[in-house]
Amino acid sequence: MRPGSDEAEWREDCAPRRVLSLFATKWTSMVLHTLHARHGGTARTGVLLRSLPGISKKMLTQTLREMEEIGLIARDVLAVMPPAVEYRLTELGCRFVEPVNLLYDWGRANADALDALGSRPGARRG
C-alpha cells in the first residue's frame, strides 16, 4: 500500500471495482452508448439489434434483461399490433452513460494507441 491510502478503497466491493464489473462485458457499455448516442435514450429491440453489429439476438436479449434487472434501462411493452417492446435509459442509466462516453471519445482520439497494442485472439478491427 502506498502511504496515506485507505485499505478500504481497494476492497472487493469498493466503488471502482463495482463500476468496472458492471462493464466487464462489452455489450452493456455498447447498449448504453447506442441507446444514448444513436437513439436519444429509447429504442425498440429490432432497432438495437441492427445498431449493434456482431451481437446475436440471444446476447442482446440477455444483456437487456440484465440491464433492466439492475436498473439501467426500463422495458415498456407498447400497445400496438403486433405487440412491440421498447427500451429506454432510466435516470440511473443516464448517469452511467457519462463515463461510457468518455471511454468512447478516448478510444476515437487514441486509435493509434489501441492499434499499438497488437492483436488479441478474438479481437476485431473495423
Side-chain angles (χ1 to χ4, degrees), residues 48-64:
L48 283 172
L49 191 60
R50 290 186 295 277
S51 298
L52 293 162
I55 193 169
S56 68
K57 187 173 183 177
K58 179 181 175 182
M59 181 55 69
L60 177 60
T61 300
Q62 179 181 326
T63 302
L64 291 169

Side-chain angles (χ1 to χ4, degrees), residues 29-50:
S29 63
M30 293 182 81
V31 169
L32 277 174
H33 181 76
T34 300
L35 265 172
H36 173 75
R38 297 188 70 190
H39 303 296
T42 304
R44 290 166 74 160
T45 311
V47 171
L48 283 172
L49 191 60
R50 290 186 295 277

Side-chain angles (χ1 to χ4, degrees), residues 100-114:
V100 171
N101 285 342
L102 290 172
L103 285 171
Y104 274 71
D105 291 344
W106 186 92
R108 286 184 198 100
N110 293 279
D112 62 324
L114 294 168

Side-chain angles (χ1 to χ4, degrees), residues 17-25 28-29 32 70 72 96:
R17 285 188 180 195
R18 288 175 23 221
V19 76
L20 289 174
S21 71
L22 182 64
F23 299 113
T25 65
T28 301
S29 63
L32 277 174
I70 61 176
L72 295 174
F96 278 95

Side-chain angles (χ1 to χ4, degrees), residues 32 41 70-74 88-98:
L32 277 174
I70 61 176
L72 295 174
I73 61 172
R88 64 178 162 75
L89 291 173
T90 61
E91 186 177 324
L92 183 62
C94 290
R95 289 176 65 186
F96 278 95
V97 165
E98 183 181 351

Side-chain angles (χ1 to χ4, degrees), residues 44 77-85:
R44 290 166 74 160
V77 178
L78 305 176
V80 296
M81 277 306 208
V85 176

